[in-house]
Amino acid sequence: MWKHFHSNKIYLYKEEVCMSNKRESTDVILIGAGIMSATLGTLLKELVPDWNITVFEKLEKAGEESSHELNNAGTGHAALCELNYTTEKPDGTIDDTKANNVNEQFQVSLQFWSYLVRKGLLTQPEKFIQPLPHISLVEGKRNVEFLKKRYEVMKNNPLFEDMEFTDNPAVLAEWLPLIMNDRVLEDEIAATKINAGTDVNFGALTRKLFEHLGEEDVNIQYNHQVEDLKRKKKGWEVKVRDVKTGKVKSHFAKFVFIGGGGGSLHLLQKTGIPESKHVGGFPVSGIFMVCNNPEIVEQHHAKVYGKAKVGAPPMSVPHLDTRYINNEKSLLFGPYAGFSPKFLKTGSNMDLINSVKPSNVFTMLAAGAKELPLTKYLVTQVLQSKEQRMKELREFIPNAKSEDWDLIVAGQRVQVIKDTELGGKGTLQFGTEVITGADGSVAALLGASPGASTAVQVMLDILNRCFPEKMDEWEPKIKQMVPSHGMRLKDNPEILQDVKAVTAETLKLNVTEENKELAYH
C-alpha cells in the first residue's frame, strides 16, 4: 500500500514538473484583476491592439480585493475635501503641492473614462460614477483658521475655483442637515464645499473594464495564483498554480505588471531585482460603520472629511460618505483602523512574517522602532467596542443610534516601508508607490490611497518608465485618450474648463436640478 501510494506521488510530481516545462508565451502578463491591471490592460489594448495579454487572478472574478466597492471609501480622490493633502508650513503658509498633483491625476482618470464611454467601450457611466459634493468640516479655532487659509489659497487655483467656505451655522445646516441636527456648538465650526466631487464605484468600474478586455481577446484566467517569477534573457518566467486543480504551469512574458494589491510585495521580492531591496510593508485593515436606514440615508448627500486627531496617522482621517452601491444609496462612516498580519483579506496570517527578508530586515526593524505610536493607535482601535466606535460617529452625527449602524470590514492596505533621504531608514510611506526594474521588463504597484483614483496617470507613468522607446509612437493616441497629457491643467485654465465640460457631459456628472436639491438639502 505504501509503495503504491509513494509511487503515485512520484508519478504525480513528475507529471506536474513536466507540465510546468510546457511554457506558454505572451507579450504581457498582468498579475491581479483589480483596477490597476484593468487600467493598464485597457491602455495597452488601445495603444498596441496586436499584443497578447494574459491576466492571472487567484480569486473567482475581478475586483474582489482592494478594488471592491465595500473595500474602499469610493472617494474620487481629487483633493477637494481631503485635508491631509494640504499641509501648513512652519511659517503658517499652506503647501498645496500634493493637492494639485492629486487633482491633476484624477482629471486624467476622468478624461480616460470619458474617452472609453464616447468610444462605446464603457457603457452606463452612472453605474460606476456619480456626482457628489465633497466637503471638509472642522471644529475648533485653530482648525477653522487652517481651513480658511487653505480656502484662500485654493479658491485662486483653477482646479479648485468652485470651492465655497462658510463658518455660518445656518449655512452649514443647509449643507449638512444630518450632521448639524441636534449639534451643540461649543466651539467654532467651518466647512468648505465643492459640488463637483464624485462617488466612484471602483468595483463596478473594474468589472466593466475586464468585460471589455475579455471581448478584446485578453486571456483572463481566474482561480490562478502566481507562485514565482524568474528572470530570463528576454523577459520573465512566471509559474502559476491553478487554485482548483493544483497544477502548475510556466508562462513567459516580455513584460510583467504586478498589480496584486497587498500581495504585490511578496511577488516583487520574488523577482530579486535590486529595486525590491530595502522595501517592506505594514498591513492595516479598515473598518466602517454602514447605515442602511433610508430615513437617515436621505438626510445626507455628500462626502464629508474631517481632520485626523493629533497623533493619529493620515489613514485615520474620519469621513462620512454617501455611497451608491448596487443602485442603492447608503452611508459609510470611518475608517476605524484595525490590524491583521494578512496582506490581503483572502491572504495568510503569515504574510507579514514572510515579507521580512535579509534585504529588508533592518528597514523593518527601524520602522518598528519609529512607529510605536502607530502601533499603540492600532491596538486601541482594535480593542474598541461598537459603542466606543459609535461615540466617534456621534462627533459627526450627534443623534446617531446604534441600531441604525452595522460594522463592516473593509479591504487590507499595505503601507510601504522604505529607506528615504528625508525620513532615513525604515520610513513609513502614506501613498501609492511604483517600483520598476532597471530594464523596464517588470513593474509593481504598492501602497494605498489615493491609489485607484489616480490609476490612469500611474499606469501612464509605468508605460513611460518601461517602454520609453515607444512613447513617441504612442503619444498621438495617448493625447486622443487623455487630451491634457503632458501639460498641467492648473497652468492652462481654458483647456481645464474644456476638459471639465467634456468629462462632465460624457460621464453624466453635470449637476441637475435634482442633484442641486440633494446637495443643498
Side-chain angles (χ1 to χ4, degrees):
M1 176 75 73
W2 167 253
K3 286 184 178 180
H4 178 70
F5 176 76
H6 185 65
S7 64
N8 280 341
K9 291 284 284 186
I10 293 173
Y11 171 75
L12 288 172
Y13 173 75
K14 286 182 177 178
E15 181 182 48
E16 184 177 287
V17 171
C18 179
M19 289 186 68
S20 70
N21 287 336
K22 294 178 180 178
R23 196 171 69 184
E24 298 183 13
S25 294
T26 187
D27 294 305
V28 173
I29 286 178
L30 307 177
I31 302 174
I35 186 62
M36 295 298 175
S37 291
T39 301
L40 183 55
T42 305
L43 282 168
L44 286 172
K45 269 299 170 184
E46 290 299 297
L47 293 170
V48 276
D50 58 330
W51 279 12
N52 294 316
I53 300 175
T54 300
V55 182
F56 295 113
E57 167 58 54
K58 75 171 187 175
L59 301 180
E60 293 185 349
K61 52 187 177 180
E64 286 295 287
E65 275 282 355
S66 298
S67 301
H68 192 277
E69 47 267 44
L70 289 178
N71 289 342
N72 61 73
T75 303
H77 284 295
L80 305 180
C81 59
E82 306 94 320
L83 296 175
N84 57 313
Y85 291 153
T86 46
T87 57
E88 189 171 11
K89 298 178 182 178
D91 64 0
T93 58
I94 300 297
D95 183 355
D96 63 347
T97 304
K98 187 170 184 178
N100 288 328
N101 291 338
V102 170
N103 190 280
E104 293 267 4
Q105 291 175 29
F106 187 60
Q107 297 295 339
V108 169
S109 291
L110 291 175
Q111 290 174 73
F112 182 59
W113 301 339
S114 176
Y115 162 81
L116 294 175
V117 171
R118 292 196 309 274
K119 197 175 178 183
L121 304 180
L122 276 181
T123 58
Q124 296 181 295
E126 67 276 10
K127 298 291 186 182
F128 68 85
I129 189 168
Q130 289 277 349
L132 191 69
H134 281 198
I135 296 176
S136 302
L137 178 68
V138 300
E139 286 189 277
K141 182 178 179 181
R142 181 73 185 88
N143 289 332
V144 170
E145 289 174 351
F146 164 77
L147 186 67
K148 192 163 188 176
K149 284 196 291 187
R150 178 180 184 269
Y151 163 71
E152 293 293 342
V153 170
M154 299 184 82
K155 73 173 183 178
N156 294 316
N157 183 331
L159 296 170
F160 307 103
E161 63 184 6
D162 297 328
M163 183 177 286
E164 301 173 66
F165 172 90
T166 187
D167 55 8
N168 184 336
V171 176
L172 288 171
E174 293 180 2
W175 290 2
L176 303 164
L178 184 63
I179 289 175
M180 295 301 291
N181 188 29
D182 293 338
R183 179 173 293 277
V184 177
L185 296 177
E186 298 177 345
D187 208 339
E188 295 182 28
I189 187 169
T192 56
K193 176 166 72 76
I194 293 186
N195 287 327
T198 56
D199 175 63
V200 184
N201 186 327
F202 286 107
L205 176 59
T206 299
R207 292 188 289 272
K208 280 177 170 288
L209 289 174
F210 271 105
E211 287 174 10
H212 160 62
L213 289 175
E215 293 168 357
E216 294 292 320
D217 295 325
V218 170
N219 181 11
I220 307 170
Q221 298 195 25
Y222 297 112
N223 296 303
H224 279 73
Q225 181 166 351
V226 173
E227 301 281 337
D228 199 11
L229 299 93
K230 290 184 178 178
R231 186 191 289 278
K232 298 298 179 181
K233 283 185 178 180
K234 295 184 179 180
W236 292 88
E237 181 182 43
V238 180
K239 289 195 174 181
V240 185
R241 177 171 59 87
D242 185 319
V243 173
K244 291 188 174 180
T245 67
K247 292 181 178 179
V248 177
K249 286 186 178 181
S250 286
H251 297 257
F252 176 83
K254 301 168 188 175
F255 173 74
V256 175
F257 171 66
I258 304 172
S264 293
L265 178 59
H266 287 140
L267 294 174
L268 174 64
Q269 291 173 331
K270 288 179 183 293
T271 67
I273 62 175
E275 294 81 4
S276 69
K277 312 298 182 185
H278 308 292
V279 177
F282 186 81
V284 177
S285 57
I287 299 170
F288 282 89
M289 302 285 282
V290 60
C291 176
N292 294 302
N293 181 335
E295 292 183 9
I296 305 298
V297 171
E298 287 307 314
Q299 295 178 53
H300 185 77
H301 187 75
K303 287 186 182 288
V304 183
Y305 274 57
K307 206 168 188 290
K309 294 181 178 178
V310 176
M315 70 185 78
S316 67
V317 173
H319 45 96
L320 178 65
D321 297 333
T322 295
R323 297 295 311 275
Y324 292 94
I325 299 174
N326 297 328
N327 298 320
E328 292 187 2
K329 185 179 177 182
S330 63
L331 293 185
L332 265 69
F333 176 78
Y336 303 94
F339 176 78
S340 165
K342 295 180 179 181
F343 279 8
L344 293 165
K345 286 182 76 171
T346 56
S348 164
N349 285 322
M350 296 299 291
D351 283 346
L352 178 57
I353 293 175
N354 289 338
S355 73
V356 180
K357 308 292 183 184
S359 64
N360 72 358
V361 63
F362 291 110
T363 299
M364 296 290 283
L365 289 172
K370 282 182 178 180
E371 301 297 339
L372 287 176
L374 173 59
T375 303
K376 181 180 178 182
Y377 169 80
L378 291 175
V379 169
T380 58
Q381 287 275 296
V382 169
L383 296 177
Q384 280 187 328
S385 64
K386 179 181 178 181
E387 192 52 39
Q388 287 173 313
R389 293 187 172 110
M390 287 299 302
K391 185 178 178 180
E392 290 189 33
L393 171 57
R394 290 186 185 110
E395 293 182 14
F396 265 65
I397 307 175
N399 58 10
K401 297 177 181 178
S402 296
E403 58 265 31
D404 292 327
W405 297 82
D406 297 310
L407 288 174
I408 60 168
V409 178
Q412 285 287 105
R413 300 290 185 267
V414 179
Q415 306 295 150
V416 177
I417 297 171
K418 66 178 186 178
D419 303 336
T420 67
E421 285 188 21
L422 186 62
K425 186 170 283 294
T427 302
L428 192 64
Q429 304 293 108
F430 297 101
T432 304
E433 298 273 334
V434 174
I435 296 177
T436 56
D439 65 352
S441 65
V442 64
L445 186 86
L446 308 174
S449 181
S453 297
T454 62
V456 180
Q457 183 60 60
V458 172
M459 294 303 105
L460 287 172
D461 290 343
I462 284 178
L463 292 179
N464 188 51
R465 289 162 67 170
C466 296
F467 302 96
E469 75 285 354
K470 294 277 189 181
M471 294 308 290
D472 286 343
E473 175 189 343
W474 291 347
E475 183 72 15
K477 182 65 176 181
I478 293 175
K479 291 283 285 185
Q480 184 183 345
M481 296 186 290
V482 181
S484 73
H485 179 66
M487 69 176 69
R488 299 284 292 181
L489 286 171
K490 177 188 174 184
D491 301 326
N492 295 273
E494 291 184 2
I495 295 176
L496 171 62
Q497 292 306 315
D498 289 343
V499 163
K500 282 185 174 182
V502 170
T503 57
E505 182 70 26
T506 308
L507 299 176
K508 301 182 181 180
L509 300 179
N510 288 315
V511 179
T512 63
E513 289 304 315
E514 180 183 2
N515 283 332
K516 284 182 181 177
E517 185 71 18
L518 288 168
Y520 283 95
H521 299 288

